[in-house]
Amino acid sequence: MAEAVFHPPRRKRRVYESYDSPFPISSSDGSIYGRDYKICQAEIINSNVIVKNPEDIEQLYSKGFFGKGILSRSRPDYSISDPVLVAKWQDVSFGMPVVSSEKYQRHVEWAKSLMQEQGLDDYTINSVLQNFTKPLNLGEETEQNNESQDEETAEMEAVGNKPEDLVTFSETNGNKEHNLESEPPYALLVNSSPYKMDITDSKPVAKTHLAEQRPSSLHYQLKQDSCTEQKSHIWINNEYNHEYLLIQEEETNVSPAEAAGSEKSHLIKKEKLVCRRNPFKIFEYLQLSLEEAFFLVYALGCLSIFYSEVPLSILKLWEVFSDAQPNFKATYMAYHYFRSKGWVPKAGLKYGTDLLLYRKGPPFYHASYSVIVELINDDFEGSLHRPFSWKSLSGLNRTTANVSKELMFCYLIKPSDMTEKEMLSPECLKRIKVQELILNRWVSSSERSEQEEL
């Protein structure tokens, strides 16, 4: 048998991340070096582990690159802003999100379809959306809210806008003009946190504004028991801080030649920014794999996972995750092993394997190994999760080599006297042995040339 040769990881050319030290291991009293240890929180939603709190998201991803954003490629940094428009209006946007009118209209349509699902009639929907998405003169709106004692009064007074502050910017022939007299009020709007909210059941009323919606792709409704009836919800919060957007819109003015009856009309297009509220806000969450979530709970003790607002114990999580993913016990054992060795394991589904191993993290290095995980007994026998033929193994090895990785088999050796009852607890990890096998393609011509050199 040829000895495996270790190849150093390939560093990425362009790195935009800063490396932060991984999570330390907490002591028995829940503290680290005399400091309090912050416990992050996550929820089980449709067999997925989701982290919603922005501070927890930043901490979990930056300290070990756990999880990925549901709307982003890796780091959860989704923004509704169009980078091109932000650069174009950087002098007058004051840090507020800038989007095109087409993109804003899509959010309006999503809000409309969601309200239709709640059973509202078209007249009510159009009234609510027309009032909610109208162009904002924040100062005038504050005065009107004070007179009518509307639900948004407290929010607008907290912002502190002056009656003369009008959020409308225009650009004509490359010249930008705006009549914004003070910047601080709008900075306060941008910095308002959307995560402080109460979610309550409410009947559909025309007077209520559609304040916040969860993205439909997240399947926010928890999986209920078969005997439980699912209820429709309109997410409403009277104290919600609305998200304000700057919409680039076009105005088409008719030239005086057309007004005089000329056959050739000359249209002057004028672009402007108009401030409106976002009727359908999409939140960026962090999604953890089951292996990552259990490692944070069991090995590091820095995460608490809830289901229906009830925290789950380690044994319960082991049971739930094993039912949700048949090969969970084996993949977690391998994940725990490689994490303890300093690697950053990620799901290897896109390359047909169980895990990918990164040095430091995906932003800094390409994956070095694609790992196949198998749980076997002392005699290297067992019901293989991935039974390979020579043809399929050769194809997987060629695919792995084409993406500059090496194919590794991670065999988890279970003692012959270990019972199924012991496997019902994560304490079984203490008796598991690990053997790694790196598969390399044998090239006869290369070997002959090496022999000739010797």
Side-chain angles (χ1 to χ4, degrees):
M1 179 182 296
E3 183 179 355
V5 179
F6 175 78
H7 298 282
R10 290 194 309 120
R11 184 185 295 271
K12 290 188 175 181
R13 296 179 180 179
R14 299 178 181 179
V15 178
Y16 304 99
E17 296 275 356
S18 59
Y19 182 73
D20 197 1
S21 59
F23 274 106
I25 300 177
S26 61
S27 59
S28 58
D29 60 353
S31 61
I32 300 177
Y33 308 118
R35 296 177 296 174
D36 294 334
Y37 193 58
K38 183 182 184 301
I39 305 297
C40 302
Q41 292 188 1
E43 298 180 26
I44 295 181
I45 302 176
N46 288 346
S47 300
N48 297 315
V49 181
I50 303 296
V51 182
K52 300 178 181 178
N53 188 293
E55 297 179 358
D56 294 346
I57 290 175
E58 176 62 25
Q59 183 172 0
L60 291 175
Y61 189 83
S62 61
K63 291 183 176 295
F65 302 98
F66 292 95
K68 70 173 294 293
I70 62 172
L71 302 174
S72 306
R73 184 175 180 180
S74 53
R75 173 175 285 276
D77 55 0
Y78 169 80
S79 174
I80 191 177
S81 292
D82 187 337
V84 176
L85 296 181
V86 170
K88 177 181 178 180
W89 297 92
Q90 59 181 347
D91 295 336
V92 293
S93 63
F94 295 100
M96 297 178 67
V98 183
V99 299
S100 63
S101 58
E102 292 80 8
K103 187 173 185 178
Y104 183 76
Q105 189 59 36
R106 287 199 297 268
H107 283 247
V108 174
E109 293 298 325
W110 292 339
K112 183 177 180 180
S113 62
L114 196 57
M115 295 177 72
Q116 289 174 344
E117 295 177 3
Q118 306 299 322
L120 297 178
D121 58 272
D122 292 339
Y123 177 79
T124 300
I125 294 175
N126 293 332
S127 299
V128 171
L129 290 178
Q130 184 177 4
N131 184 46
F132 193 85
T133 61
K134 63 184 179 181
L136 295 181
N137 181 337
L138 297 180
E140 293 180 0
E141 183 175 348
T142 305
E143 293 180 355
Q144 293 175 0
N145 290 340
N146 289 334
E147 295 174 359
S148 61
Q149 296 182 353
D150 192 32
E151 296 176 349
E152 302 169 9
T153 304
E155 176 187 295
M156 299 304 299
E157 288 179 347
V159 173
N161 295 308
K162 299 180 181 180
E164 62 271 19
D165 291 337
L166 176 64
V167 188
T168 304
F169 313 99
S170 62
E171 181 183 28
T172 307
N173 298 329
N175 296 325
K176 299 179 181 179
E177 298 178 357
H178 61 89
N179 55 352
L180 181 62
E181 296 186 3
S182 59
E183 177 182 348
Y186 307 101
L188 292 176
L189 288 176
V190 177
N191 295 329
S192 59
S193 173
Y195 293 89
K196 300 177 181 179
M197 62 183 186
D198 290 326
I199 300 178
T200 57
D201 294 342
S202 176
K203 297 181 179 179
V205 213
K207 184 180 179 182
T208 326
H209 292 285
L210 184 63
E212 177 190 358
Q213 293 292 346
R214 302 291 186 193
S216 57
S217 60
L218 181 60
H219 305 294
Y220 185 76
Q221 298 294 338
L222 294 179
K223 182 179 180 182
Q224 304 291 336
D225 296 333
S226 57
C227 60
T228 306
E229 180 183 358
Q230 293 195 9
K231 300 180 180 179
S232 299
H233 293 81
I234 289 186
W235 307 100
I236 297 170
N237 178 10
N238 296 339
E239 298 180 357
Y240 174 77
N241 293 321
H242 300 293
E243 181 183 33
Y244 291 83
L245 306 177
L246 295 178
I247 319 300
Q248 177 178 279
E249 299 180 354
E250 289 186 356
E251 288 183 335
T252 304
N253 298 329
V254 181
S255 65
E258 184 183 8
S262 175
E263 295 182 358
K264 296 182 180 180
S265 59
H266 299 278
L267 302 181
I268 302 176
K269 290 186 178 181
K270 178 182 178 182
E271 293 179 342
K272 65 176 182 178
L273 290 183
V274 179
C275 182
R276 301 178 190 268
R277 285 174 290 194
N278 186 6
F280 190 93
K281 183 170 183 179
I282 302 178
F283 290 95
E284 173 77 295
Y285 297 141
L286 183 72
Q287 181 175 356
L288 300 172
S289 68
L290 301 186
E291 293 81 8
E292 290 173 327
F294 195 82
F295 183 83
L296 290 168
V297 174
Y298 174 71
L300 298 184
C302 61
L303 182 69
S304 180
I305 301 179
F306 290 75
Y307 179 73
S308 298
E309 301 182 356
V310 177
L312 301 181
S313 64
I314 292 178
L315 289 178
K316 187 63 177 179
L317 286 173
W318 184 261
E319 176 187 351
V320 170
F321 289 171
S322 299
D323 293 339
Q325 185 174 307
N327 200 37
F328 168 75
K329 293 177 182 178
T331 54
Y332 176 72
M333 292 175 185
Y335 183 94
H336 190 110
Y337 171 78
F338 287 117
R339 267 284 182 182
S340 303
K341 293 290 185 179
W343 293 98
V344 177
K346 287 291 183 179
L349 181 61
K350 60 183 177 181
Y351 296 122
T353 57
D354 295 309
L355 296 173
L356 294 176
L357 301 185
Y358 294 86
R359 180 189 176 189
K360 293 180 66 174
F364 308 102
Y365 290 90
H366 295 279
S368 299
Y369 299 99
S370 294
V371 183
I372 298 291
V373 179
E374 294 292 355
L375 183 61
I376 57 176
N377 57 23
D378 289 338
D379 299 325
F380 276 75
E381 296 178 352
S383 56
L384 298 179
H385 180 66
R386 291 173 178 265
F388 285 102
S389 64
W390 281 111
K391 183 178 181 180
S392 61
L393 183 60
S394 176
L396 179 61
N397 187 43
R398 179 63 65 91
T399 301
T400 304
N402 287 343
V403 291
S404 301
K405 296 172 179 46
E406 293 186 89
L407 184 60
M408 176 190 294
F409 281 83
C410 178
Y411 291 104
L412 305 166
I413 305 174
K414 181 176 65 172
S416 56
D417 60 342
M418 179 177 287
T419 63
E420 291 297 328
K421 185 177 180 180
E422 292 183 71
M423 295 292 292
L424 299 178
S425 168
E427 292 298 309
C428 65
L429 271 70
K430 298 178 180 179
R431 302 188 61 192
I432 298 294
K433 297 180 181 179
V434 181
Q435 180 170 341
E436 306 163 16
L437 177 65
I438 297 178
L439 182 66
N440 290 322
R441 177 170 171 259
W442 179 66
V443 182
S444 59
S445 59
S446 299
E447 182 170 340
R448 284 197 300 267
S449 61
E450 291 177 1
Q451 293 293 335
E452 292 175 358
E453 292 178 0
L454 294 176

